Every structure is written in structure tokens, then in C-alpha cells.
Amino acid sequence: MRQGGHPRAGARRRIQPPRRGRGLPGHRRARRLRGSEGRCVHLRGAAVRVGAGATWDDLVASAVEQEWSGIESLSGIPGSVGATPIQNVGAYGSEVAQTITSVRTWDRARRTQKTFPVADCGFGYRTSLFKREPGRYLVLEVGYQFTLGSLSQPIAYAELARRLDTVVGERVPSHVVRDTVLEIRASKGMVLDPTDHDTWSAGSFFTNPILDADAAAALPDGAPGSRRLTGGSRPAPPG
């Protein structure tokens, strides 16, 4: 490992807090995630494997802290890391399939472990292979690939862009995106507050209707949130 720089290609390090009085100049350690045996490899980005039992928002907070870009818009979502691939969790223009590289599972039918590369996960709009075969696969670990840097991925959701005082497609500091998303969610009672029973939730989800070309063409002018789909495309991840 080069002092003051990134680890050499292939080097690994555990996600854990720094020991008192120790550390690497110019390099921050990743925060330990409860329920995780996460490891990080820097190969022009951060390749991270996280145990299914880790709390999802702890991973998001750690990613923002470590300047791993890609999931900052998914802040404040309750639940575990292992739950997110099941329905391809998404919000504010992002979804987990955009950063997932692999999902390691226990196949209950064949009683063996099986790792799915992202291309075999069958991700779609709020769905996956794991959702379409309920009860078969138990998620054990999820792999991610993040880009390195303090800026977010391009903002893809109009409401979030307005709150950030920017436009869709621009990038802003990831910590600002996270703080803003948490503010939006908190204003809707969607961020857990131990002192507020109205926020106690196991989470929720909804899906937007997907219409074929004829049905979409029949929508009245000004129909809220309508998108024209062509060539079998699917809508961008909504909030």
C-alpha cells in the first residue's frame, strides 16, 4: 500500500473504525457496519461486499462519509442490506441495481450457496429474480461498485433537484444530497424517530403503473407524472 494514496490494485481492507492513534495519511478507514463482514477493494472505484444483516442506512451513511458515490439518494430507507435486492429498492431517481455487482445467496431448493452476478439478478422496476421466486433464495451478502469522489451521481429526480436548487443531471456534494433526502423524508414522516410513534415503520413501497403505447397515448393532456415509453423501455426509478 502506498502511503498517502489509495491501496494498490487488489489490496483489501475491512470496514472497521481506526484504532486510536493510528491511521493512514490521506486515507480514511471505512466505518464498521453492524451485522456486516464488509470488505473494500479500490480498483478505480470502491468495490464493497456487505453482509445482508447490515442496516441499509448505515451503509449509505458510511458510503457518503467515505466518499463512495452512488447510493446517497437512497438515504433514510429502513431495513437491511439483504432486503434491498429483492425488489430492487429505489427512490428519488436511483435504485440499488445501479451499484450492485453481485448477490450471494443460500438456495433453499438446492441447499447450496449461489452467487448471482448483476446480469443474472433479473433486476427491473421494483422487481428481481429473487422476488419472482419467493422463498427460494436467502440473501447472504451483496456486492457493490461505487465511484470515488465527494460529488453525487447526476441528480435524476425533479423534486430533489428543486430542493437542491439545481437541475436534473447536475451533481452536487453527496453529503448535501443525503441531508436533503432525509429532510424530505422526515417532512413526510418517513424517517425513523424513536420518540415519534408515527414514524415507526417497517417501510413501504408503491409502483407506478406501466402502460403500453396505446394506453399511454390515450392519457389526457397534463396527466401527472406520465412518461412515454418506446421500445420496451421502463420508467426511470421514481421516488
Side-chain angles (χ1 to χ4, degrees):
M1 182 177 296
R2 299 193 306 272
Q3 186 169 345
H6 291 304
R8 60 179 173 80
R12 290 185 176 180
R13 58 189 178 88
R14 287 189 177 275
I15 296 181
Q16 60 185 5
R19 295 179 181 177
R20 187 178 300 275
R22 298 182 63 182
L24 298 176
H27 196 92
R28 289 183 296 176
R29 291 177 181 267
R31 186 174 62 180
R32 182 177 179 84
L33 302 177
R34 181 176 298 177
S36 169
E37 291 295 331
R39 290 179 292 277
C40 171
V41 184
H42 285 286
L43 298 170
R44 295 185 180 178
V48 184
R49 296 197 299 272
V50 183
T55 298
W56 169 255
D57 198 53
D58 286 351
L59 172 60
V60 180
S62 183
V64 171
E65 178 184 340
Q66 304 304 314
E67 296 188 348
W68 301 340
S69 176
I71 55 175
E72 54 280 345
S73 293
L74 302 178
S75 295
I77 295 175
S80 66
V81 165
T84 59
I86 304 300
Q87 70 159 14
N88 188 17
V89 164
Y92 299 106
S94 297
E95 57 188 13
V96 292
Q98 294 168 327
T99 52
I100 287 177
T101 57
S102 64
V103 179
R104 183 165 63 88
T105 70
W106 173 258
D107 184 340
R108 292 185 177 99
R110 297 186 177 181
R111 301 188 63 78
T112 186
Q113 289 191 35
K114 181 173 182 178
T115 298
F116 292 84
V118 65
D120 294 340
C121 290
F123 286 130
Y125 175 50
R126 299 301 181 269
T127 191
S128 70
L129 167 72
F130 317 113
K131 184 176 180 178
R132 290 190 290 271
E133 297 190 41
R136 177 169 180 178
Y137 297 106
L138 175 66
V139 176
L140 304 177
E141 182 183 71
V142 184
Y144 301 90
Q145 179 74 35
F146 303 122
T147 57
L148 299 179
S150 61
L151 294 181
S152 70
Q153 292 302 296
I155 303 301
Y157 196 70
E159 179 188 3
L160 181 57
R162 288 193 298 271
R163 292 290 291 267
L164 291 166
D165 194 24
T166 187
V167 296
V168 170
E170 290 297 309
R171 303 172 68 193
V172 300
S174 292
H175 71 89
V176 176
V177 174
R178 173 170 169 78
D179 290 346
T180 303
V181 168
L182 290 174
E183 288 175 2
I184 295 173
R185 295 179 67 88
S187 71
K188 301 175 181 179
M190 297 169 62
V191 175
L192 179 63
D193 179 351
T195 65
D196 184 354
H197 291 202
D198 288 339
T199 69
W200 293 11
S201 170
S204 64
F205 71 94
F206 65 89
T207 56
N208 291 325
I210 300 175
L211 307 179
D212 60 27
D214 291 338
L219 288 173
D221 292 340
S226 63
R227 296 183 177 92
R228 306 297 184 184
L229 306 183
T230 59
S233 61
R234 58 187 176 88

